[in-house]
């Protein structure tokens, strides 16, 4: 493939000078090249070809055992001044960071091929899209990027002779945890990743670019890059309203994005359309509304728990042209994971490649095992998902995994209070990142691991965005929690498709069609206004979900919230001098409301 862009050519030459590959291959996006790469990866054992009758064009990959999730402790924002990375990000001085990783990466592609991937985040050629060039020595990365982004010749054509692209360098090196670094240089549009071969660490278009670098670009250019799904809800009259929702990793974005409404709603003609499942780029439109665009072209979804009942649409996405990572491989080369069905396969191999006995009590699939599936496979993909202008947002939802404290749903009082609600998000940690699971931590806007600049400046940017248009055009801001537990650890709310009942209330609020109860923390539904009459959910033996359970998960427990106030203050203190006064005032106001009789 011919490239005439001298900046790209210079970047490729620089990369080769550092990495010393035997060979350089440009990824053009053609079917022939993809097929050749698959064959090569299968020949070397990097990938396994799955049963082509049952899973056409599907492949399997195992990562190293020490390399199964994003590594937040080894992820750095290398801004020139430490204050610009802020207290919530790891920081290394960029000069030092470049030097250190050059020493680690030098010569590491000797005897290997260096692939050059020109990719576009967003529809190729749209004024709202952004281009990147990823260098990698992993065919697995190339094949994933081909699904997750738009890759090839057309991207270089769209770039023309411009220097405006993100430079990403990835080398597997020795998959040495001690030398693993995921570095973002926001001021240079540069990413460097070494010693990993896993997902968010190495598919540089995703978290590194479309969130960390793009959030910084959005701050400078007046738009927002957010860890959000985007969905459309079509009502029986055929009108579609759009919602974006930010939940932390492994807290339900893919599931909500592909939700199937309960039977009663479907019969009336309601339908949910998926625009995106992980990342939203949000801009102010000419009409003064906020428009959201999905910069990705595929889904890198959590496999465990995905089944015919919880998320049939996600399952359908994975039946063709999909790459599976770290799931169970069966004797006849199909795939399995915990929560797929109740029939774990005999004679299969687990995610580590060892023979696996389901009776052994060990898990066959890694809890963060994933599928990489093309968005076009999705039965409910929105007709608007490639609209270069994005879709207009009626509501923004924040949410986390909270066993207690956060109610099923509440609405913020106004935009600034909504920014406050997003900034105090907290959630129990999951397997999507290395480290302890189930620990509550503050994860503002689900962006704690993904914000490419100072968190206080990020909050200020949210407040400023709210000033760009009139209040009636701004999306309304809500918070949800699908994960309230009873004393025995059962989920009180059924979740999944039944979450539609909450979305219905949210849209009604946006249209001013339903009242709410004003509480210390915001507006909470009257229990009668969440439609549960046709719901059939058993929380535990013989206990069917009813209106009292709903009242329970809608109630505000002041003592928990007062505890939260002190933890919010501690978090804001940690962020330090960049904390906007508006948000400090919001904590004071909430505390005053909670302490009032
Ligand atoms: P990332 O891809 O890591 O950003 O994750 P995500 O936010 O897309 O999460 P995903 O939809 O893949 O869900 C993660 C886990 O949460 C899965 O095990 C789901 O089964 C579970 N889950 C999703 N929605 C619900 C829900 O409404 N209720 C309950 N109880 N569990 C849910
Ligand atoms: C997440 O962890 O939020 C993911 C998976 O979406 S990864 O791409 O590995 O970051
Ligand atoms: Mn994610």
């Amino acid at each position: 493939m011919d490239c005439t862009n001298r900046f790209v050519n210079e970047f490729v030459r620089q990369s080769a000078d550092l990495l010393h590959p035997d060979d350089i291959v440009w990824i053009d996006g053609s079917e022939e090249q993809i097929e050749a790469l698959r064959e090569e990866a299968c020949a070397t054992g990097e990938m396994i070809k799955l049963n082509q009758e049952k899973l056409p064009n599907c492949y399997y990959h195992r990562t190293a055992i020490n390399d199964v999730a994003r590594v937040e402790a080894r992820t750095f924002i290398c801004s020139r001044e430490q204050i610009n990375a802020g207290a919530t990000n790891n920081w290394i001085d960029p000069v030092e960071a470049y030097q250190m990783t050059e020493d680690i990466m030098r010569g590491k592609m000797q005897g290997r091929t260096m692939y050059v991937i020109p990719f576009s985040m967003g529809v190729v050629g749209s004024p709202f899209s952004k281009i990147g060039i990823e260098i990698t020595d992993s065919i697995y990365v190339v094949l994933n990027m081909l699904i997750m982004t738009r890759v090839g010749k057309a991207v270089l054509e769209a770039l023309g002779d411009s220097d405006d692209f993100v430079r990403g360098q990835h080398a597997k090196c020795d998959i040495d945890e001690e030398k693993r670094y995921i570095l973002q240089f926001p001021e240079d549009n540069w990413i460097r990743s070494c010693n990993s071969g896993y997902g968010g660490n190495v598919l540089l278009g995703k978290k590194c670019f479309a969130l960390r670098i793009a959030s910084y670009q959005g701050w400078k250019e007046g738009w927002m890059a957010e860890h959000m799904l985007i969905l459309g809800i079509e009502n029986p009259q055929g009108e579609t309203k759009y919602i974006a929702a930010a939940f932390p990793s492994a807290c339900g974005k893919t599931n909500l994005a592909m939700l199937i409404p309960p039977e009663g709603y479907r019969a009336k003609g309601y339908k949910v359309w998926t625009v995106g499942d992980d990342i939203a780029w949000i801009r102010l439109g000419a009409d003064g509304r906020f428009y959201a665009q999905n910069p990705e072209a595929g889904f890198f979804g959590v496999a465990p728990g995905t089944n015919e009942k919880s998320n049939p649409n996600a399952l359908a996405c994975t039946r063709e042209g999909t790459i599976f990572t770290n799931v169970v491989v069966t004797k006849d080369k199909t795939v399995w994971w915990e929560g797929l069905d109740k029939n774990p396969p005999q004679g299969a191999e687990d995610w580590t490649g060892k023979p696996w006995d389901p009776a052994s009590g060990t898990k066959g699939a890694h809890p963060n095992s994933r599928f990489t599936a093309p968005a076009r496979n999705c039965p409910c993909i929105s007709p608007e998902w490639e609209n270069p202008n994005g879709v207009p947002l009626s509501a923004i939802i924040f949410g986390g995994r909270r066993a207690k404290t956060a109610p099923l749903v509440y609405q913020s009082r106004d935009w600034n209070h909504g920014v406050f609600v997003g900034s105090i998000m907290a959630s129990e940690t999951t397997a999507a990142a290395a480290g302890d699971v189930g620990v509550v931590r503050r994860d503002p806007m689900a962006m704690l691991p993904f914000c490419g600049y100072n968190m206080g400046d990020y909050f200020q940017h949210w407040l400023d965005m709210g000033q760009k248009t009139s209040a009636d055009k701004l999306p309304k801001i809500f918070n949800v929690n699908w994960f309230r537990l009873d004393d025995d650890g059962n989920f009180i709310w059924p979740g999944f498709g039944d979450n539609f009942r909450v979305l219905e209330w949210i849209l009604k609020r946006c249209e001013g069609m339903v009242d709410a109860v004003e509480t210390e923390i915001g507006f909470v539904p009257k229990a009668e206004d969440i439609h549960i009459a046709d719901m059939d959910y058993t929380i535990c033996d013989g206990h069917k979900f009813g209106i009292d359970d709903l009242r329970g998960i809608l109630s505000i427990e002041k003592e928990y919230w007062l505890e939260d106030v002190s933890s919010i203050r501690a978090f804001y203190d940690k962020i330090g001098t960049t904390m906007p006064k508006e948000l400090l005032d919001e904590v004071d106001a909430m505390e005053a409301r909670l302490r009032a009789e």
Side-chain angles (χ1 to χ4, degrees):
M1 191 168 67
D2 261 0
C3 173
T4 53
N5 181 307
R6 67 186 174 92
F7 304 104
V8 174
N9 287 331
E10 171 63 15
F11 172 57
V12 171
R13 194 188 55 73
Q14 253 181 328
S15 302
D17 283 350
L18 172 67
L19 297 157
H20 307 163
D22 281 13
D23 206 5
I24 300 177
V25 170
W26 291 70
I27 303 302
D28 60 18
S30 69
E31 264 318 306
E32 307 83 81
Q33 191 183 42
I34 296 174
E35 197 44 44
L37 287 170
R38 286 167 168 163
E39 269 174 39
E40 189 183 334
C42 291
T44 60
E46 186 178 352
M47 313 266 283
I48 293 173
K49 192 173 195 160
L50 292 170
N51 185 320
Q52 295 296 298
E53 260 161 51
K54 294 184 174 154
L55 296 167
N57 291 320
C58 291
Y59 291 79
Y60 178 74
H61 176 74
R62 282 188 182 100
T63 64
I65 290 172
N66 72 0
D67 189 28
V68 293
R70 283 183 295 100
V71 279
E72 296 179 4
R74 310 206 61 95
T75 300
F76 293 80
I77 301 299
C78 306
S79 43
R80 273 168 231 142
E81 305 285 335
Q82 182 165 11
I83 179 84
N84 290 329
T88 58
N89 280 313
N90 300 313
W91 177 82
I92 314 180
D93 177 85
V95 176
E96 207 181 298
Y98 282 122
Q99 188 60 56
M100 174 184 69
T101 43
E102 269 157 34
D103 292 344
I104 292 172
M105 292 162 85
R106 187 165 299 114
K108 286 292 185 196
M109 289 193 191
Q110 240 159 46
R112 310 176 58 79
T113 299
M114 180 175 108
Y115 299 96
V116 181
I117 316 171
F119 65 96
S120 173
M121 300 312 293
V123 180
V124 179
S126 154
F128 295 148
S129 299
K130 299 253 177 205
I131 287 174
I133 307 286
E134 176 165 356
I135 301 289
T136 182
D137 56 352
S138 158
I139 298 182
Y140 171 73
V141 168
V142 172
L143 294 175
N144 271 276
M145 286 293 284
L146 280 156
I147 299 172
M148 293 304 297
T149 73
R150 288 130 174 125
V151 170
K153 253 193 196 123
V155 176
L156 284 182
E157 276 160 25
L159 183 63
D161 53 17
S162 165
D163 187 22
D164 184 12
F165 61 93
V166 170
R167 289 151 169 86
Q169 291 172 318
H170 165 247
K172 287 196 288 196
C173 303
D174 311 299
I175 314 290
D176 177 352
E177 286 165 277
E178 302 298 315
K179 293 185 178 159
R180 187 168 298 156
Y181 287 98
I182 319 301
L183 307 180
Q184 281 69 207
F185 303 86
E187 291 134 341
D188 300 346
N189 267 351
W190 202 298
I191 301 162
R192 217 176 242 174
S193 163
C194 56
N195 278 298
S196 173
Y198 187 83
N201 298 332
V202 298
L203 308 178
L204 301 185
K206 195 173 178 62
K207 297 301 163 63
C208 303
F209 177 171
L211 288 178
R212 297 196 190 100
I213 298 280
S215 62
Y216 174 85
Q217 294 175 328
W219 178 42
K220 294 288 162 183
E221 297 166 9
W223 53 280
M224 308 201 281
E226 299 296 331
H227 192 201
M228 291 179 180
L229 68 96
I230 311 162
L231 62 77
I233 298 180
E234 184 178 335
N235 69 13
Q237 290 74 51
E239 301 152 349
T240 305
K241 303 265 191 260
Y242 296 91
I243 294 178
F247 309 152
S249 301
C251 289
K253 289 183 299 301
T254 303
N255 277 274
L256 192 70
M258 298 180 189
L259 173 153
I260 296 180
E263 172 67 45
Y265 287 97
R266 271 179 289 149
K268 282 192 213 148
Y270 285 98
K271 192 164 182 344
V272 169
W273 298 101
T274 308
V275 179
D277 84 323
D278 197 51
I279 298 179
W281 285 0
I282 302 175
R283 289 185 170 77
L284 185 68
D287 61 357
R289 295 188 68 189
F290 281 11
Y291 283 72
Q293 169 203 7
N294 170 14
E296 301 190 281
F299 308 120
F300 186 60
V302 178
T306 306
N307 62 52
E308 204 42 76
K309 202 162 160 265
S310 66
N311 195 346
N313 286 319
L315 205 57
C317 294
T318 68
R319 299 298 93 176
E320 205 264 316
T322 293
I323 299 171
F324 296 90
T325 303
N326 291 346
V327 300
V328 174
V329 183
T330 68
K331 261 191 306 204
D332 69 339
K333 296 275 181 289
T334 63
V335 289
W336 193 85
W337 49 77
E338 278 69 25
L340 173 65
D341 56 40
K342 296 212 162 76
N343 310 305
Q346 299 296 328
E349 283 177 354
D350 71 7
W351 70 274
T352 68
K354 289 205 209 67
W356 178 62
D357 175 8
S360 68
T362 61
K363 288 201 157 112
H366 188 275
N368 191 35
S369 54
R370 300 254 169 183
F371 55 80
T372 318
R376 67 179 132 73
N377 281 3
C378 183
C380 55
I381 196 75
S382 162
E384 296 296 313
W385 86 280
E386 294 198 282
N387 185 330
N389 298 318
V391 294
L393 292 180
S394 296
I396 288 175
I397 306 178
F398 296 118
R401 203 177 264 273
R402 290 301 290 274
K404 297 262 183 302
T405 315
L408 178 64
V409 57
Y410 67 100
Q411 182 185 3
S412 68
R413 303 157 75 91
D414 52 36
W415 180 264
N416 280 8
H417 181 245
V419 175
F420 170 70
V421 167
S423 80
I424 66 167
M425 262 173 70
S427 194
E428 290 144 26
T429 52
T430 64
D436 294 338
V437 168
V439 182
V440 176
R441 69 168 186 186
R442 296 275 152 209
D443 187 352
M445 284 84 170
M447 285 288 278
L448 182 72
F450 307 121
C451 183
Y453 59 108
N454 185 297
M455 192 59 81
D457 292 332
Y458 170 77
F459 292 158
Q460 186 63 53
H461 182 45
W462 265 85
L463 295 168
D464 293 345
M465 287 297 293
Q467 298 296 316
K468 284 185 186 267
T469 189
S470 56
D472 59 311
K473 295 208 167 123
L474 285 168
K476 305 277 179 285
I477 301 181
F478 297 80
N479 192 87
V480 300
N481 177 21
W482 315 137
F483 298 94
R484 282 282 284 260
L485 299 180
D486 68 8
D487 292 338
D488 301 319
N490 303 301
F491 289 115
I492 301 173
W493 177 252
F496 303 100
D498 286 302
N499 292 336
F500 190 82
R501 303 174 193 278
V502 174
L503 298 183
E504 182 189 36
W505 182 81
I506 286 175
L507 282 188
K508 279 193 182 156
R509 285 296 292 170
C510 292
E511 283 152 36
M513 283 160 56
V514 65
D515 266 354
V517 186
E518 186 172 355
T519 73
E520 296 84 350
I521 65 162
F523 296 99
V524 172
K526 296 181 182 162
E528 309 75 68
D529 289 334
I530 304 243
H531 179 77
I532 57 164
D534 60 336
M535 213 167 97
D536 181 20
Y537 173 62
T538 306
I539 300 175
C540 58
D541 307 332
H543 181 161
K544 284 220 174 203
F545 185 92
I547 188 102
D548 288 333
D549 300 300
L550 181 58
R551 287 205 179 92
I553 56 176
L554 288 173
S555 64
I556 312 297
E557 287 170 62
K558 286 198 195 182
E559 60 207 280
Y560 288 135
W561 279 93
L562 282 167
E563 270 170 41
D564 236 39
V565 164
S566 24
S567 113
I568 293 163
R569 287 224 167 87
F571 182 61
Y572 280 4
D573 273 352
K574 180 179 157 192
I575 293 171
T577 54
T578 54
M579 265 312 296
K581 179 167 184 311
E582 287 89 334
L583 299 187
L584 298 169
D585 290 347
E586 290 285 353
V587 202
D588 292 344
M590 181 170 84
E591 178 170 26
R593 290 193 298 267
L594 285 162
R595 293 202 188 278
E597 274 313 304

